[in-house]
């Protein structure tokens, strides 16, 4: 997935509905303990979380 992320603030280089879907999917994975994200994916996830003001679920991971 990392090669598909063009920029940390938009998966295709420009904010689009793809970002809403991808962020929702990645956020749902954040509830799983010890999930490994490549650097590009982790950076994207953090940037989208901050931009949307929607926290990740890492603190509840099981």
């Amino acid at each position: 997935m990392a090669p598909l992320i063009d920029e940390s603030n938009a998966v295709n280089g420009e904010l689009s509905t793809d970002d809403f879907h991808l962020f929702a999917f990645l956020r749902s994975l954040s509830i799983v303990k010890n999930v490994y994200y490549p650097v590009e994916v982790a950076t994207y996830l953090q940037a989208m979380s901050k931009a949307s003001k929607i926290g990740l679920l890492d603190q509840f991971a099981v």
Side-chain angles (χ1 to χ4, degrees):
M1 176 175 290
L4 300 176
I5 297 177
D6 288 340
E7 295 183 26
S8 64
N9 62 345
V11 73
N12 296 320
E14 185 175 325
L15 194 62
S16 69
T17 56
D18 292 338
D19 294 294
F20 292 103
H21 295 288
L22 181 58
F23 176 65
F25 174 74
L26 291 173
R27 182 178 182 265
S28 69
L29 285 179
S30 71
I31 193 108
V32 179
K33 195 173 196 170
N34 298 324
V35 170
Y36 168 76
Y37 300 104
V39 174
E40 298 87 353
V41 176
T43 302
Y44 171 80
L45 189 55
Q46 291 295 328
M48 291 302 293
S49 176
K50 184 177 179 180
S52 65
K53 298 179 182 165
I54 298 174
L56 301 177
L57 303 170
D58 297 330
Q59 63 190 9
F60 305 109
V62 291

